[in-house]
């Protein structure tokens, strides 16, 4: 099954970034958007609230569902138009978090690969299975408890699935989710058509029967079924799923740019179509006050959205010895939490309060540590990008080097820098470590192997991308594979 592209979260982005232009009167039409109790009552944000962790955090979820948001199966002719089969399931193949720092107009969006292998209730698994696990468990519980109303069972199961997905993301990232938005295949199809398409650019022509993708090289405008195929294509893309993530991110950047363009904001017909598409197909948490949110978000520009992907340790993780062909994306929760926190800087955890009239003891500044990064992979410029990323986290960047090819990555350090070496290893996605007396005093050595896929790879982990992998923002069109 091909996953729903991350760009299906566009429905929320349109509300968020386009809403200010057409005012409260029109936004009130969005009162008909489907709501669900996804956020715990004690975690709800209040109007005008500035979250204690320094950022308003929104979870965008895309489900590869062949039903509409009312649970009714899509008609066969619509499935044919979408170029998908009739068999969907309960996987959430799109997970993206928007971090909106308090007092700023820059939005940091980061993607979580759908196959990230994480701990969840019931045992470890891919993060996109959290929804289905909880949904099935809640349906069984309700039936066992004597509930016979199918509508009540279905709704209760959906709520449980959404809450479990939210919790899985919070556990992995350390981010307290303030709001939730969900769309499906039909949502994306309708929203992308409503705004008249999105400009994208491909480095090379591509064709894939499974997703229906058939695109020429170069710049082009796509919408509807073509746009869905663009973000769903998996087969034929060079590299791993991270390449597809970049394609999805660049489309969402273009979508935000298109929504904010004069051609959309000044066109009553497009705005009306957009509002209707969102009303028909988007699910929001029931605590979200859209009017208040739009007021808070005034001033966000089309170029104010920056995209990244969480750091990953291994994109070809063989997690099941009994089934060696089964693969997942290995992630280090500590590295992911560090990355998510770095997007807004240091801040107190949400719902926490510092003791009054108590001064925290000052700790002596740590001695400077230089990290020497060597690139043992074919990825051009990787050592410099990773060194720059570590510099953002308080390390001194050494001279980037290129070394002989090596498959795995390694962090080496002297016995006096074991703790800092472990910190570097976590920041880069949970790399292997080795204590060595041959490493110069005050230095840590990092060797990046061919399977390295943490910060610095295709923009992953928030590090700047290198030649051929431009950073993705909503400021302009970036050509991708």
């Amino acid at each position: 099954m091909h996953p729903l592209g991350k760009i299906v979260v566009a429905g929320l982005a349109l509300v968020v970034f386009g809403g200010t232009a057409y005012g409260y009167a029109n936004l009130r039409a969005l009162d008909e958007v489907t709501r669900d109790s996804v956020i715990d009552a004690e975690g709800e944000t209040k109007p005008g609230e500035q979250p204690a962790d320094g950022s308003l955090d929104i979870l965008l979820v895309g489900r590869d569902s062949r039903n509409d948001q009312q649970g009714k199966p899509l008609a066969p002719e619509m499935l044919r138009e979408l170029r998908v089969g009739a068999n969907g399931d309960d996987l959430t193949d799109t997970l993206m978090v928007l971090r909106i720092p308090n007092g700023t107009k820059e939005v940091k969006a980061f993607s979580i690969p759908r196959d990230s292998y994480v701990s969840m209730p019931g045992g470890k698994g891919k993060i996109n299975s959290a929804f289905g696990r909880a949904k099935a468990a809640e349906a069984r519980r309700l039936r066992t408890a004597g509930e016979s109303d199918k509508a009540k069972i279905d709704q209760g199961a959906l709520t449980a699935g959404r809450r479990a997905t939210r919790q899985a993301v919070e556990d992995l990232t350390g981010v307290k989710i303030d709001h939730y938005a969900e769309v499906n295949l039909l949502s994306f199809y309708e929203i992308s058509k409503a705004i008249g398409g999105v400009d994208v650019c491909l480095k090379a022509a591509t064709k894939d029967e499974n997703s229906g993708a058939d695109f020429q090289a170069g710049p082009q405008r796509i919408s509807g079924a073509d746009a869905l195929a663009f973000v769903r294509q998996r087969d034929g893309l060079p590299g791993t799923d991270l390449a597809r993530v970049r394609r999805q991110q660049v489309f969402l950047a273009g979508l935000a740019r298109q929504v904010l363009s004069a051609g959309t904001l000044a066109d009553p017909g497009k705005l009306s179509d957009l509002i209707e598409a969102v009303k028909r197909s988007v699910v929001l948490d029931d605590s979200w006050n859209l009017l208040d949110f739009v007021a808070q978000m005034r001033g966000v520009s089309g170029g104010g959205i920056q995209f990244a992907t969480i750091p990953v340790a291994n994109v070809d993780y063989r997690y099941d010895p009994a089934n060696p062909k089964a693969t997942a994306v290995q992630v280090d929760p500590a590295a992911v939490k560090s990355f998510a926190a770095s997007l807004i800087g240091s801040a107190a955890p949400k719902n926490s309060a510092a003791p009054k009239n108590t001064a925290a003891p000052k700790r002596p500044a740590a001695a400077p540590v230089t990290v020497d990064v060597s690139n043992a992979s074919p990825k051009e410029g990787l050592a410099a990008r990773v060194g720059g990323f570590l510099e953002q986290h308080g390390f001194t960047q050494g001279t980037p080097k290129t070394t002989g090819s090596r498959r795995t990555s390694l962090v080496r350090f002297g016995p006096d820098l074991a703790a800092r070496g472990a910190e570097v290893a976590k920041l880069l996605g949970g790399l292997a470590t080795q204590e060595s007396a041959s490493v110069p005093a005050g230095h840590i050595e990092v060797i990046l192997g061919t399977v390295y896929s943490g910060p610095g790879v295709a923009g992953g982990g928030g590090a700047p991308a290198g030649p051929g992998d431009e950073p993705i923002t909503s400021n302009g069109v970036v050509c991708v594979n």
Side-chain angles (χ1 to χ4, degrees), residues 148-206:
S148 58
D149 187 315
K150 184 179 184 302
K152 290 183 178 179
I153 293 173
D154 289 346
Q155 182 55 57
L158 284 171
T159 300
R162 289 165 181 151
R163 283 177 161 263
T165 298
R166 186 212 75 208
Q167 189 64 57
V169 170
E170 289 183 343
D171 291 344
L172 173 63
T173 65
V175 171
K176 179 65 177 70
I177 298 301
D178 299 299
H179 291 302
Y180 174 99
E182 175 191 307
V183 293
N184 60 16
L185 292 169
L186 183 61
S187 313
F188 172 70
Y189 172 88
E190 293 188 337
I191 291 170
S192 63
K193 289 190 69 174
I195 63 168
V198 172
D199 292 322
V200 298
C201 179
L202 286 176
K203 294 179 180 179
T206 181

Short mmCIF file of all heavy atoms in Angstrom, two decimals, residues 148-206:
data_model
loop_
_atom_site.label_atom_id
_atom_site.label_comp_id
_atom_site.label_asym_id
_atom_site.label_seq_id
_atom_site.Cartn_x
_atom_site.Cartn_y
_atom_site.Cartn_z
N SER A 148 -23.92 -1.54 21.32
CA SER A 148 -24.33 -2.15 20.06
C SER A 148 -24.56 -1.13 18.96
O SER A 148 -24.76 -1.50 17.80
CB SER A 148 -25.62 -2.97 20.26
OG SER A 148 -26.66 -2.15 20.76
N ASP A 149 -24.53 0.16 19.31
CA ASP A 149 -24.74 1.21 18.32
C ASP A 149 -23.46 1.36 17.49
O ASP A 149 -22.43 1.81 18.00
CB ASP A 149 -25.08 2.52 19.03
CG ASP A 149 -25.49 3.62 18.06
OD1 ASP A 149 -24.81 3.78 17.03
OD2 ASP A 149 -26.47 4.34 18.36
N LYS A 150 -23.53 1.00 16.21
CA LYS A 150 -22.33 1.02 15.36
C LYS A 150 -21.73 2.42 15.26
O LYS A 150 -20.51 2.59 15.27
CB LYS A 150 -22.66 0.51 13.97
CG LYS A 150 -21.44 0.41 13.05
CD LYS A 150 -21.82 -0.14 11.69
CE LYS A 150 -20.59 -0.33 10.80
NZ LYS A 150 -19.85 0.93 10.60
N ALA A 151 -22.58 3.44 15.17
CA ALA A 151 -22.08 4.80 15.04
C ALA A 151 -21.28 5.20 16.28
O ALA A 151 -20.22 5.83 16.17
CB ALA A 151 -23.24 5.77 14.82
N LYS A 152 -21.78 4.82 17.46
CA LYS A 152 -21.06 5.15 18.69
C LYS A 152 -19.74 4.39 18.78
O LYS A 152 -18.73 4.93 19.23
CB LYS A 152 -21.93 4.84 19.91
CG LYS A 152 -23.12 5.77 20.07
CD LYS A 152 -23.90 5.45 21.34
CE LYS A 152 -25.07 6.42 21.52
NZ LYS A 152 -25.85 6.11 22.75
N ILE A 153 -19.76 3.14 18.35
CA ILE A 153 -18.53 2.34 18.37
C ILE A 153 -17.50 2.94 17.42
O ILE A 153 -16.33 3.11 17.78
CB ILE A 153 -18.83 0.88 17.99
CG1 ILE A 153 -19.67 0.21 19.08
CG2 ILE A 153 -17.53 0.10 17.78
CD1 ILE A 153 -20.16 -1.18 18.72
N ASP A 154 -17.95 3.29 16.21
CA ASP A 154 -17.03 3.84 15.22
C ASP A 154 -16.43 5.16 15.70
O ASP A 154 -15.22 5.39 15.56
CB ASP A 154 -17.75 4.05 13.89
CG ASP A 154 -18.08 2.74 13.19
OD1 ASP A 154 -17.53 1.70 13.59
OD2 ASP A 154 -18.91 2.75 12.24
N GLN A 155 -17.27 6.02 16.27
CA GLN A 155 -16.77 7.31 16.71
C GLN A 155 -15.81 7.17 17.89
O GLN A 155 -14.76 7.81 17.95
CB GLN A 155 -17.93 8.24 17.10
CG GLN A 155 -17.47 9.64 17.52
CD GLN A 155 -16.62 10.32 16.47
OE1 GLN A 155 -17.03 10.48 15.32
NE2 GLN A 155 -15.40 10.72 16.84
N GLY A 156 -16.18 6.30 18.83
CA GLY A 156 -15.30 6.08 19.97
C GLY A 156 -13.96 5.51 19.55
O GLY A 156 -12.90 5.89 20.08
N ALA A 157 -13.99 4.61 18.57
CA ALA A 157 -12.74 4.00 18.09
C ALA A 157 -11.88 5.03 17.37
O ALA A 157 -10.64 5.06 17.53
CB ALA A 157 -13.07 2.84 17.15
N LEU A 158 -12.50 5.91 16.57
CA LEU A 158 -11.73 6.95 15.88
C LEU A 158 -11.08 7.90 16.86
O LEU A 158 -9.91 8.29 16.71
CB LEU A 158 -12.65 7.73 14.93
CG LEU A 158 -13.04 7.05 13.63
CD1 LEU A 158 -14.12 7.85 12.91
CD2 LEU A 158 -11.83 6.87 12.72
N THR A 159 -11.82 8.29 17.88
CA THR A 159 -11.26 9.19 18.90
C THR A 159 -10.06 8.55 19.59
O THR A 159 -9.03 9.20 19.81
CB THR A 159 -12.33 9.56 19.93
OG1 THR A 159 -13.42 10.22 19.28
CG2 THR A 159 -11.75 10.49 21.00
N ALA A 160 -10.19 7.28 19.92
CA ALA A 160 -9.08 6.57 20.56
C ALA A 160 -7.86 6.51 19.65
O ALA A 160 -6.71 6.68 20.10
CB ALA A 160 -9.52 5.16 20.95
N GLY A 161 -8.08 6.27 18.36
CA GLY A 161 -6.97 6.23 17.41
C GLY A 161 -6.26 7.56 17.31
O GLY A 161 -5.02 7.63 17.26
N ARG A 162 -7.03 8.64 17.27
CA ARG A 162 -6.44 9.98 17.18
C ARG A 162 -5.66 10.32 18.44
O ARG A 162 -4.56 10.89 18.38
CB ARG A 162 -7.55 11.00 16.92
CG ARG A 162 -8.13 10.90 15.52
CD ARG A 162 -9.44 11.63 15.36
NE ARG A 162 -9.94 11.46 13.98
CZ ARG A 162 -11.21 11.47 13.64
NH1 ARG A 162 -12.15 11.63 14.56
NH2 ARG A 162 -11.55 11.31 12.37
N ARG A 163 -6.21 9.97 19.59
CA ARG A 163 -5.51 10.25 20.84
C ARG A 163 -4.21 9.45 20.95
O ARG A 163 -3.19 9.94 21.43
CB ARG A 163 -6.42 9.94 22.02
CG ARG A 163 -7.49 11.00 22.27
CD ARG A 163 -8.43 10.63 23.39
NE ARG A 163 -9.12 11.82 23.88
CZ ARG A 163 -8.75 12.53 24.94
NH1 ARG A 163 -7.70 12.15 25.63
NH2 ARG A 163 -9.41 13.60 25.31
N ALA A 164 -4.26 8.20 20.50
CA ALA A 164 -3.06 7.36 20.56
C ALA A 164 -1.97 7.90 19.63
O ALA A 164 -0.78 7.87 19.96
CB ALA A 164 -3.40 5.92 20.19
N THR A 165 -2.36 8.39 18.47
CA THR A 165 -1.40 8.98 17.55
C THR A 165 -0.77 10.22 18.16
O THR A 165 0.46 10.40 18.10
CB THR A 165 -2.09 9.35 16.23
OG1 THR A 165 -2.60 8.16 15.62
CG2 THR A 165 -1.13 10.03 15.27
N ARG A 166 -1.58 11.06 18.74
CA ARG A 166 -1.06 12.25 19.42
C ARG A 166 -0.07 11.88 20.50
O ARG A 166 1.01 12.45 20.62
CB ARG A 166 -2.22 13.04 20.03
CG ARG A 166 -1.83 14.37 20.66
CD ARG A 166 -2.72 14.71 21.84
NE ARG A 166 -2.37 13.90 23.00
CZ ARG A 166 -3.20 13.55 23.96
NH1 ARG A 166 -4.48 13.90 23.90
NH2 ARG A 166 -2.79 12.83 24.98
N GLN A 167 -0.43 10.86 21.30
CA GLN A 167 0.45 10.44 22.40
C GLN A 167 1.76 9.87 21.89
O GLN A 167 2.83 10.12 22.45
CB GLN A 167 -0.27 9.40 23.26
CG GLN A 167 0.48 9.06 24.56
CD GLN A 167 0.57 10.27 25.47
OE1 GLN A 167 -0.44 10.87 25.84
NE2 GLN A 167 1.80 10.64 25.83
N ALA A 168 1.71 9.09 20.80
CA ALA A 168 2.93 8.51 20.25
C ALA A 168 3.89 9.60 19.78
O ALA A 168 5.11 9.50 19.96
CB ALA A 168 2.59 7.57 19.09
N VAL A 169 3.35 10.64 19.17
CA VAL A 169 4.18 11.76 18.71
C VAL A 169 4.76 12.51 19.90
O VAL A 169 5.95 12.89 19.91
CB VAL A 169 3.37 12.70 17.80
CG1 VAL A 169 4.14 13.99 17.51
CG2 VAL A 169 3.02 11.99 16.50
N GLU A 170 3.96 12.73 20.92
CA GLU A 170 4.46 13.42 22.11
C GLU A 170 5.57 12.63 22.78
O GLU A 170 6.59 13.19 23.20
CB GLU A 170 3.31 13.66 23.10
CG GLU A 170 2.31 14.70 22.65
CD GLU A 170 1.22 14.97 23.69
OE1 GLU A 170 1.04 14.12 24.60
OE2 GLU A 170 0.55 16.00 23.58
N ASP A 171 5.39 11.31 22.88
CA ASP A 171 6.40 10.48 23.53
C ASP A 171 7.72 10.48 22.76
O ASP A 171 8.80 10.48 23.35
CB ASP A 171 5.89 9.04 23.67
CG ASP A 171 4.75 8.91 24.66
OD1 ASP A 171 4.55 9.85 25.46
OD2 ASP A 171 4.06 7.88 24.64
N LEU A 172 7.64 10.48 21.43
CA LEU A 172 8.85 10.45 20.62
C LEU A 172 9.57 11.79 20.62
O LEU A 172 10.79 11.84 20.74
CB LEU A 172 8.51 10.06 19.17
CG LEU A 172 9.66 10.15 18.16
CD1 LEU A 172 10.77 9.17 18.53
CD2 LEU A 172 9.16 9.89 16.75
N THR A 173 8.83 12.87 20.48
CA THR A 173 9.43 14.19 20.27
C THR A 173 9.63 15.01 21.53
O THR A 173 10.41 15.97 21.52
CB THR A 173 8.58 15.01 19.29
OG1 THR A 173 7.31 15.28 19.90
CG2 THR A 173 8.36 14.27 17.98
N GLY A 174 8.90 14.68 22.59
CA GLY A 174 8.94 15.52 23.78
C GLY A 174 8.14 16.80 23.64
O GLY A 174 8.19 17.68 24.50
N VAL A 175 7.38 16.91 22.56
CA VAL A 175 6.58 18.10 22.28
C VAL A 175 5.16 17.88 22.77
O VAL A 175 4.55 16.86 22.46
CB VAL A 175 6.57 18.41 20.77
CG1 VAL A 175 5.57 19.51 20.44
CG2 VAL A 175 7.96 18.80 20.29
N LYS A 176 4.64 18.82 23.56
CA LYS A 176 3.25 18.73 24.01
C LYS A 176 2.35 19.31 22.92
O LYS A 176 2.39 20.49 22.61
CB LYS A 176 3.05 19.52 25.30
CG LYS A 176 1.61 19.50 25.83
CD LYS A 176 1.21 18.09 26.24
CE LYS A 176 -0.20 18.08 26.84
NZ LYS A 176 -1.25 18.33 25.83
N ILE A 177 1.55 18.44 22.30
CA ILE A 177 0.70 18.86 21.20
C ILE A 177 -0.47 19.69 21.72
O ILE A 177 -1.21 19.26 22.60
CB ILE A 177 0.18 17.63 20.43
CG1 ILE A 177 1.34 16.85 19.81
CG2 ILE A 177 -0.82 18.05 19.35
CD1 ILE A 177 2.19 17.64 18.84
N ASP A 178 -0.63 20.88 21.15
CA ASP A 178 -1.70 21.79 21.56
C ASP A 178 -2.95 21.63 20.69
O ASP A 178 -4.06 21.82 21.17
CB ASP A 178 -1.22 23.24 21.47
CG ASP A 178 -0.05 23.50 22.39
OD1 ASP A 178 -0.21 23.34 23.61
OD2 ASP A 178 1.04 23.86 21.90
N HIS A 179 -2.75 21.31 19.41
CA HIS A 179 -3.90 21.17 18.51
C HIS A 179 -3.64 20.06 17.49
O HIS A 179 -2.49 19.69 17.22
CB HIS A 179 -4.20 22.49 17.80
CG HIS A 179 -4.71 23.55 18.70
ND1 HIS A 179 -5.86 23.40 19.47
CD2 HIS A 179 -4.23 24.79 19.00
CE1 HIS A 179 -6.06 24.49 20.18
NE2 HIS A 179 -5.10 25.34 19.92
N TYR A 180 -4.73 19.56 16.94
CA TYR A 180 -4.69 18.40 16.05
C TYR A 180 -5.53 18.68 14.82
O TYR A 180 -6.63 19.24 14.91
CB TYR A 180 -5.25 17.19 16.81
CG TYR A 180 -5.43 15.91 16.02
CD1 TYR A 180 -4.47 14.89 16.08
CD2 TYR A 180 -6.56 15.70 15.24
CE1 TYR A 180 -4.64 13.70 15.39
CE2 TYR A 180 -6.74 14.51 14.54
CZ TYR A 180 -5.78 13.52 14.62
OH TYR A 180 -5.94 12.33 13.94
N ALA A 181 -5.02 18.29 13.64
CA ALA A 181 -5.78 18.40 12.40
C ALA A 181 -5.54 17.16 11.56
O ALA A 181 -4.44 16.63 11.50
CB ALA A 181 -5.35 19.64 11.62
N GLU A 182 -6.60 16.67 10.93
CA GLU A 182 -6.52 15.42 10.16
C GLU A 182 -7.25 15.57 8.83
O GLU A 182 -8.33 16.17 8.76
CB GLU A 182 -7.16 14.29 10.96
CG GLU A 182 -7.27 12.96 10.24
CD GLU A 182 -8.16 12.00 11.01
OE1 GLU A 182 -7.92 11.78 12.21
OE2 GLU A 182 -9.11 11.47 10.40
N VAL A 183 -6.64 15.04 7.79
CA VAL A 183 -7.28 15.00 6.47
C VAL A 183 -7.05 13.64 5.84
O VAL A 183 -6.27 12.83 6.35
CB VAL A 183 -6.75 16.11 5.54
CG1 VAL A 183 -7.14 17.48 6.03
CG2 VAL A 183 -5.24 16.01 5.41
N ASN A 184 -7.72 13.39 4.73
CA ASN A 184 -7.57 12.10 4.04
C ASN A 184 -7.32 12.33 2.55
O ASN A 184 -7.09 13.45 2.10
CB ASN A 184 -8.78 11.20 4.29
CG ASN A 184 -10.07 11.81 3.78
OD1 ASN A 184 -10.07 12.76 3.00
ND2 ASN A 184 -11.20 11.28 4.23
N LEU A 185 -7.35 11.27 1.77
CA LEU A 185 -7.08 11.36 0.34
C LEU A 185 -8.00 12.37 -0.35
O LEU A 185 -7.55 13.19 -1.15
CB LEU A 185 -7.24 9.99 -0.31
CG LEU A 185 -6.23 8.91 0.07
CD1 LEU A 185 -6.71 7.57 -0.46
CD2 LEU A 185 -4.86 9.24 -0.47
N LEU A 186 -9.29 12.28 -0.05
CA LEU A 186 -10.25 13.17 -0.70
C LEU A 186 -10.00 14.62 -0.32
O LEU A 186 -10.14 15.53 -1.15
CB LEU A 186 -11.67 12.76 -0.32
CG LEU A 186 -12.79 13.56 -0.98
CD1 LEU A 186 -12.73 13.42 -2.49
CD2 LEU A 186 -14.15 13.12 -0.45
N SER A 187 -9.60 14.84 0.95
CA SER A 187 -9.31 16.20 1.40
C SER A 187 -8.26 16.85 0.53
O SER A 187 -8.42 17.98 0.05
CB SER A 187 -8.80 16.18 2.85
OG SER A 187 -9.58 15.38 3.67
N PHE A 188 -7.18 16.13 0.34
CA PHE A 188 -6.07 16.69 -0.43
C PHE A 188 -6.47 16.96 -1.86
O PHE A 188 -6.14 17.99 -2.45
CB PHE A 188 -4.89 15.73 -0.38
CG PHE A 188 -3.78 16.13 -1.29
CD1 PHE A 188 -3.04 17.25 -1.01
CD2 PHE A 188 -3.52 15.42 -2.44
CE1 PHE A 188 -2.04 17.66 -1.86
CE2 PHE A 188 -2.53 15.81 -3.30
CZ PHE A 188 -1.78 16.94 -3.01
N TYR A 189 -7.18 16.03 -2.44
CA TYR A 189 -7.64 16.17 -3.83
C TYR A 189 -8.45 17.46 -3.98
O TYR A 189 -8.21 18.27 -4.89
CB TYR A 189 -8.48 14.95 -4.19
CG TYR A 189 -9.19 15.03 -5.53
CD1 TYR A 189 -8.55 14.61 -6.70
CD2 TYR A 189 -10.50 15.49 -5.61
CE1 TYR A 189 -9.20 14.67 -7.93
CE2 TYR A 189 -11.15 15.55 -6.83
CZ TYR A 189 -10.50 15.14 -7.98
OH TYR A 189 -11.15 15.20 -9.19
N GLU A 190 -9.42 17.67 -3.09
CA GLU A 190 -10.32 18.81 -3.23
C GLU A 190 -9.62 20.13 -2.92
O GLU A 190 -9.84 21.13 -3.61
CB GLU A 190 -11.53 18.62 -2.30
CG GLU A 190 -12.43 17.45 -2.72
CD GLU A 190 -13.71 17.40 -1.93
OE1 GLU A 190 -13.73 17.94 -0.81
OE2 GLU A 190 -14.69 16.83 -2.43
N ILE A 191 -8.78 20.15 -1.90
CA ILE A 191 -8.13 21.39 -1.50
C ILE A 191 -7.13 21.86 -2.56
O ILE A 191 -7.06 23.04 -2.89
CB ILE A 191 -7.46 21.23 -0.13
CG1 ILE A 191 -8.54 21.09 0.95
CG2 ILE A 191 -6.54 22.41 0.19
CD1 ILE A 191 -8.00 20.70 2.31
N SER A 192 -6.36 20.93 -3.10
CA SER A 192 -5.37 21.32 -4.11
C SER A 192 -6.05 21.84 -5.37
O SER A 192 -5.52 22.73 -6.05
CB SER A 192 -4.45 20.14 -4.44
OG SER A 192 -5.17 19.08 -5.02
N LYS A 193 -7.23 21.32 -5.71
CA LYS A 193 -7.97 21.82 -6.87
C LYS A 193 -8.59 23.18 -6.57
O LYS A 193 -8.66 24.04 -7.46
CB LYS A 193 -9.06 20.82 -7.27
CG LYS A 193 -8.55 19.54 -7.90
CD LYS A 193 -9.68 18.70 -8.50
CE LYS A 193 -10.27 19.37 -9.71
NZ LYS A 193 -11.27 18.50 -10.39
N ALA A 194 -9.02 23.38 -5.33
CA ALA A 194 -9.72 24.62 -4.98
C ALA A 194 -8.84 25.84 -5.19
O ALA A 194 -9.33 26.92 -5.55
CB ALA A 194 -10.20 24.56 -3.53
N ILE A 195 -7.53 25.71 -4.98
CA ILE A 195 -6.65 26.89 -5.11
C ILE A 195 -6.01 26.98 -6.49
O ILE A 195 -5.16 27.83 -6.73
CB ILE A 195 -5.56 26.87 -4.03
CG1 ILE A 195 -4.65 25.65 -4.20
CG2 ILE A 195 -6.16 26.92 -2.64
CD1 ILE A 195 -3.38 25.73 -3.37
N GLY A 196 -6.40 26.09 -7.40
CA GLY A 196 -5.90 26.19 -8.76
C GLY A 196 -4.55 25.55 -8.99
O GLY A 196 -3.88 25.82 -9.99
N GLY A 197 -4.13 24.67 -8.09
CA GLY A 197 -2.87 23.95 -8.29
C GLY A 197 -1.68 24.60 -7.62
O GLY A 197 -1.76 25.72 -7.10
N VAL A 198 -0.57 23.88 -7.63
CA VAL A 198 0.65 24.30 -6.95
C VAL A 198 1.84 24.12 -7.89
O VAL A 198 1.93 23.13 -8.61
CB VAL A 198 0.87 23.47 -5.66
CG1 VAL A 198 2.23 23.75 -5.05
CG2 VAL A 198 -0.23 23.75 -4.66
N ASP A 199 2.76 25.07 -7.87
CA ASP A 199 3.97 25.00 -8.69
C ASP A 199 5.02 24.13 -8.01
O ASP A 199 5.35 24.33 -6.83
CB ASP A 199 4.55 26.40 -8.91
CG ASP A 199 3.64 27.26 -9.77
OD1 ASP A 199 3.05 26.71 -10.72
OD2 ASP A 199 3.53 28.47 -9.49
N VAL A 200 5.54 23.14 -8.75
CA VAL A 200 6.60 22.28 -8.25
C VAL A 200 7.67 22.15 -9.35
O VAL A 200 7.48 22.63 -10.46
CB VAL A 200 6.08 20.87 -7.88
CG1 VAL A 200 5.06 20.96 -6.75
CG2 VAL A 200 5.47 20.17 -9.10
N CYS A 201 8.77 21.49 -9.02
CA CYS A 201 9.84 21.31 -9.99
C CYS A 201 10.52 19.98 -9.74
O CYS A 201 10.84 19.65 -8.59
CB CYS A 201 10.85 22.45 -9.89
SG CYS A 201 12.24 22.31 -11.04
N LEU A 202 10.73 19.20 -10.79
CA LEU A 202 11.41 17.91 -10.69
C LEU A 202 12.75 17.95 -11.42
O LEU A 202 12.86 18.52 -12.51
CB LEU A 202 10.54 16.80 -11.28
CG LEU A 202 9.33 16.35 -10.45
CD1 LEU A 202 8.53 15.32 -11.23
CD2 LEU A 202 9.79 15.76 -9.12
N LYS A 203 13.75 17.32 -10.83
CA LYS A 203 15.07 17.26 -11.45
C LYS A 203 15.08 16.37 -12.69
O LYS A 203 15.88 16.57 -13.59
CB LYS A 203 16.09 16.74 -10.44
CG LYS A 203 16.32 17.67 -9.26
CD LYS A 203 17.34 17.07 -8.30
CE LYS A 203 17.58 17.96 -7.10
NZ LYS A 203 18.55 17.37 -6.14
N ALA A 204 14.19 15.36 -12.69
CA ALA A 204 14.15 14.43 -13.83
C ALA A 204 12.72 13.93 -14.01
O ALA A 204 11.92 13.94 -13.07
CB ALA A 204 15.09 13.25 -13.59
N ALA A 205 12.41 13.51 -15.21
CA ALA A 205 11.09 12.93 -15.49
C ALA A 205 10.93 11.64 -14.69
O ALA A 205 11.90 10.93 -14.41
CB ALA A 205 10.94 12.66 -16.98
N THR A 206 9.68 11.34 -14.33
CA THR A 206 9.44 10.14 -13.53
C THR A 206 8.07 9.56 -13.87
O THR A 206 7.14 10.28 -14.23
CB THR A 206 9.51 10.46 -12.02
OG1 THR A 206 9.29 9.27 -11.26
CG2 THR A 206 8.45 11.47 -11.63
#
